[in-house]
Amino acid sequence: MATTTITREVLGPWSLDTSREFWEGFTPSALRGTQESGRLSTVFRVDADWSAASVMVTQHDQTAEIVVESDGDLNAAAAQAARFLALDIDARAWPEVGQRDPVVGRAQESLPGLRPCGFHSAYEAAAWTVLSQRLRVVQAAKIRADITSRHGDNGAFPAPDRLAALDLDLPGRKTEYLHAVADAALSGRLDTARLRDLDPAAAIAELQQIKGIGPFASELIVLRGANAPDWVPTHERRLEAEVVELYGAGKTVAEVSEAWRPFRTWASVYLRAGREHRTHEIGGV
């Protein structure tokens, strides 16, 4: 295993501890193991070459120290870590969203410095959407953990070539759909950086060409897999309910989210996080 250390300036509000605590509660891809204040560690699959990598991120004021260990492309692994932790986003204008919209402003105060993070890659997000179809989140998370333990590499989800060859005993057509996700990853259709660079609407439409990936799943892949910062979920009923709760009857996500640009995804995640804390709901974007 080779190791590299990369430092990068993080532009805008950032608290690694707040982000880590958020991710620890993100059931679909929750952090495992012992985490320490001021640092975050995780193991993931690098979608540039499908190697397994481990990363430890430490915060020093507005500088992130990213230590990556892998047998694969270390620079690609470091870039991917920055992307799934949203450290590559210039968020200097994010506080202005809270100034325009007091509801978002209160959410920012309750989660100071949160950088929305989620799945390690679009590939892992796509696999999750298949596993979670018609299952409770905790059930799907257990299946994902079992697949990772049995067929992954030291905590990293199985590479797509490995996943494509597995004969898994899963409900319904989940194995067939997982194989379709693996094939899409191998053909480059789930390249996370490419999906991030696309217009979100175009990326969402493209992903629906993968067998087993529908409208809700394609949105989740773009918003929480590619970590696109500016898109409004259109299939998230809990977010819609939260908007009615906080903004009043008759208000819609499409209406109030105009004030959230260019951080509509971030504002959506903040409001959903507040709802989950208040109601203990699990799931959604």
Side-chain angles (χ1 to χ4, degrees):
M1 284 270 186
T3 303
T4 190
T5 300
I6 294 175
T7 60
R8 65 181 300 153
E9 182 183 8
V10 182
L11 302 176
W14 174 46
S15 167
L16 184 62
D17 284 340
T18 302
S19 300
R20 188 196 69 247
E21 290 169 7
F22 170 79
W23 201 5
E24 286 174 335
F26 183 51
T27 303
S29 188
L31 291 174
R32 296 186 298 275
T34 302
Q35 302 290 332
E36 301 178 20
S37 177
R39 63 179 57 190
L40 178 152
S41 300
T42 189
V43 179
F44 61 100
R45 184 69 61 185
V46 182
D47 62 5
D49 56 13
W50 306 120
S51 60
S54 64
V55 65
M56 183 175 70
V57 182
T58 308
Q59 179 173 4
H60 304 282
D61 296 322
Q62 286 300 116
T63 299
E65 181 181 88
I66 304 172
V67 181
V68 179
E69 184 177 12
S70 176
D71 283 332
D73 188 329
L74 292 171
N75 288 329
Q80 186 171 327
R83 185 168 55 246
F84 65 65
L85 293 172
L87 302 181
D88 60 340
I89 300 295
D90 183 346
R92 287 174 290 185
W94 170 233
E96 297 174 14
V97 176
Q99 295 167 12
R100 290 194 298 268
D101 185 332
V103 171
V104 174
R106 289 191 289 273
Q108 291 172 335
E109 291 174 0
S110 67
L111 294 166
L114 170 64
R115 294 260 167 163
C117 45
F119 295 94
H120 296 125
S121 65
Y123 163 59
E124 291 195 32
W128 168 256
T129 66
V130 169
L131 293 174
S132 61
Q133 289 174 13
R134 297 181 176 86
L135 285 181
R136 294 174 59 226
V137 170
V138 290
Q139 291 176 293
K142 185 177 184 301
I143 293 173
R144 180 187 182 278
D146 183 64
I147 292 172
T148 301
S149 175
R150 290 174 177 268
H151 308 290
D153 297 320
N154 299 317
F157 192 72
D161 58 346
R162 173 67 169 151
L163 185 65
L166 295 178
D167 183 15
L168 299 168
D169 182 16
L170 298 176
R173 301 176 67 183
K174 292 185 186 297
T175 299
E176 176 188 356
Y177 293 160
L178 282 178
H179 289 169
V181 165
D183 290 342
L186 291 169
S187 67
R189 288 180 289 162
L190 285 171
D191 180 88
T192 310
R194 185 183 68 84
L195 290 172
R196 166 74 81 80
D197 289 340
L198 288 175
D199 175 78
I204 288 166
E206 179 182 307
L207 288 168
Q208 291 180 56
Q209 303 305 308
I210 302 171
K211 184 185 294 186
I213 302 298
F216 177 84
S218 59
E219 275 195 348
L220 185 143
I221 294 166
V222 171
L223 302 188
R224 303 306 300 278
N227 232 4
D230 187 36
W231 184 257
V232 178
T234 58
H235 301 277
E236 180 44 79
R237 59 181 178 83
R238 291 189 180 97
L239 176 61
E240 294 167 359
E242 186 68 356
V243 164
V244 171
E245 177 80 19
L246 298 177
Y247 292 85
K251 295 293 185 180
T252 66
V253 176
E255 178 185 357
V256 302
S257 64
E258 285 302 307
W260 303 347
R261 295 178 184 269
F263 294 99
R264 289 176 294 171
T265 306
W266 282 33
S268 300
V269 170
Y270 268 69
L271 296 189
R272 283 288 288 113
R275 184 177 182 84
E276 288 174 9
H277 178 75
R278 189 177 71 253
T279 67
H280 306 292
E281 293 175 341
I282 298 176
V285 173

